[in-house]
Structures are given as structure tokens and as C-alpha cells.
Amino acid sequence: MLKYMIGIDAGGTHSTAIAYDENGKELGRAESGPGQINNDYELGIKNIAQAVNELRDKIDGDCIKVLAGIAGLSVVGNIPTRAITDSLLALYNGLEGADGALVIAGTGSVVNGRQNGSLIAVGGYGSLLGDEGSGYAITKAALQSALLSWDKREKNSLIDLFVKEFNVDNMGEVPAKFYSLTSPEVASKAVKVAKLADSGDEDARKIIADQAHLLARDIIMCLDRYEDPKPMRIALTGSVLSNNAMMRSYMEAEVKEKYPDAVFSVSNGENARGVIFDKSKDYRYFTNHNDDE
């Protein structure tokens, strides 16, 4: 009988479950709603279970394990299952089981490292305390720059950008609009800042350079904490690093000043694929919340 495994990337907007055979070949995938159980536990559990069960129904075989990248427990009762954070799932995928670091920069940011089975985390403290180099941080820093120039009545291209983006008459009206946005909505505006920087605008370029420096700092802190010989493989993922060549260039150059052997690559983003590379034996049988229905 065909044996296969399922990886689940359960995020704040949707959950993706992908089945692989023992050689890593994709057999099928299913998507459902948000799986972030910290916000709505029952809904998250329901959506994750829905995606897993859809795959089990369509694949004729024996599911040997499920690896769920969520902040909570498993949802499958009769299959050995392991629940981990979505960032660790991304690390397994980005490094394909090898030692090294994974840098995530999307709405938020975090640097995770792994060496000889030990894990290192740098950052990931959320938009108020960290998330350096993230989409949220880029937008926030750009807006702070624009507001400072507005107060000084100095010229700054970012002023024009935000007045247009928020559809207001002047910068004084922007803060109220900003505070009404969700974190993903704020982060999405970083694309406009990056495009302005790519056009050669110095005010926007400085924002990208500053945020790249902060992210490089976090990567260097992670590498500093490794034992010798240090793994130098660094995978990058998230919308900011996948789409912003300027950001990557500044960041990689600064890291290489201290660690010239660092090797960077952009992850494919299929984080559910991490189940193929997880060698942990900590898979357990959890109670399925739907067993009594």
C-alpha cells in the first residue's frame, strides 16, 4: 500500500495541506480557512482538520504522519502527529533538513537557526517590539520619516506617497488612517516604498537600507551564537525578501562583511514540504475533537 505524509502550513489567512510520498513527490494538496488557533481555536481546528481529511479522502494509501505548522496542538486522532510553530516548519523546508538559518520577512520577521538539533531564535517579537526588516517595519519607518519631514516642513518624497496612498489632503490626516489598519494592511504598503526606492528616490532608499541593516544584525546575532564550525547556509522566505532585491543586496552584503562564507538562497515557500525533512521522533496520537460527532 502507498505510504504518504502530510505537511500543513496553517496561517492567519488560510491553511495549506500537502501530501507527499516517501520520496518527497507531491501527491495532492488541499486548502481551507485560517488555521491560527490563537485567534479562534475552534475555527482553526476545524479548518486544519478539513484540509487533512480532504487529502485522506482523495488519496488511496496509508498516511504515516502529519506535521502541522501551527501554534497549538494537533487535530488528527488516529495518525502520529506533531504540532510545531509555522516558522520551524519553514526552517525545515527552507534548509531541506540541513543545519543553518532561515530568515522570514513578510508581515513580521524572525531569524531561526538550527545546529546539531539545537534551535536558535532571534527576533519575532511582533510589530511593537521588533519585526525588523518586515513589511510592517518598512511601512512604519517610512511613515515616521514622512511625518518628521512634515513637522519640519521639509521636502520628502514619502510625504507625497502616503498622502496619495491614504487618499488624504495632507500628512496630518495620515496617522488616524494608519491606526485603523490591520498589520497585514500596513505591511502591504511596503511594496510602494520599495518601488519608490527602486526608482532612485533617496528618502525611500534610506528606509530600505536601514531595515536591511536591522535584519542583517539579527542574522549576525544568530550566526554568532552557533558553535564552531558554524553552518553558513541561510534560506530567505517571506514576501519582503522574495520580492525586494535591494533589501536582499544590502542585507547579504552586511552579513558577508563578518561571515564571507555565508551562502544565501530564496526558499520556494512551500512550507508544508517541511514534513519530508523533519526527523523528529516526537510524533504522538492526540485526541480528535470530532471523534464524538
Side-chain angles (χ1 to χ4, degrees), residues 45-213:
I45 292 293
K46 177 182 177 181
N47 288 333
I48 296 168
Q50 176 183 326
V52 172
N53 289 329
E54 182 178 332
L55 284 178
R56 293 177 66 194
D57 289 341
K58 72 168 63 170
I59 298 174
D60 184 13
D62 179 18
C63 184
I64 57 176
K65 67 178 180 179
V66 173
L67 179 64
I70 55 176
L73 292 178
S74 169
V75 299
V76 182
N78 58 350
I79 300 174
T81 304
R82 183 173 179 229
I84 59 176
T85 64
D86 54 356
S87 59
L88 181 55
L89 184 70
L91 184 147
Y92 288 153
N93 174 53
L95 297 175
E96 297 186 331
D99 282 354
L102 176 82
V103 186
I104 303 175
T107 298
S109 72
V110 67
V111 179
N112 285 324
R114 187 173 78 160
Q115 183 180 33
N116 299 325
S118 296
L119 298 174
I120 295 172
V122 177
Y125 300 120
S127 59
L128 294 180
L129 297 177
D131 281 353
E132 301 86 359
S134 68
Y136 189 102
I138 290 170
T139 301
K140 179 182 175 183
L143 183 52
Q144 288 173 322
S145 172
L147 287 168
L148 180 60
S149 294
W150 168 257
D151 284 344
K152 292 180 177 180
R153 294 305 188 261
E154 294 178 346
K155 182 175 176 56
N156 186 328
S157 301
L158 293 167
I159 293 176
D160 295 334
L161 184 152
F162 284 116
V163 167
K164 180 179 179 181
E165 184 67 17
F166 285 99
N167 192 27
V168 294
D169 293 328
N170 60 67
M171 278 300 296
E173 301 176 51
V174 169
K177 297 274 191 177
F178 172 83
Y179 286 121
S180 70
L181 300 179
T182 64
S183 291
E185 288 171 337
V186 171
S188 70
K189 298 185 182 303
V191 174
K192 301 293 180 65
V193 179
K195 287 182 177 179
L196 187 60
D198 287 339
S199 73
D201 181 79
E202 185 60 25
D203 294 316
R205 187 208 62 79
K206 185 178 186 305
I207 299 300
I208 299 299
D210 288 347
Q211 291 301 312
H213 161 70

Side-chain angles (χ1 to χ4, degrees), residues 5-9 18 20 65-69 82 84 86 88-97 114 267-280 283:
M5 62 198 86
I6 296 175
I8 309 164
D9 187 6
I18 305 178
Y20 302 90
K65 67 178 180 179
V66 173
L67 179 64
R82 183 173 179 229
I84 59 176
D86 54 356
L88 181 55
L89 184 70
L91 184 147
Y92 288 153
N93 174 53
L95 297 175
E96 297 186 331
R114 187 173 78 160
S267 172
N268 64 13
E270 291 282 11
N271 292 334
R273 183 169 165 264
V275 66
I276 300 170
F277 307 106
D278 179 29
K279 305 304 180 186
S280 172
Y283 279 75

Side-chain angles (χ1 to χ4, degrees), residues 10-15 33-41 44 48 70-71 86:
T13 58
H14 67 280
S15 300
Q36 192 174 43
I37 63 176
N38 287 339
N39 292 339
D40 189 328
Y41 182 86
I48 296 168
I70 55 176
D86 54 356

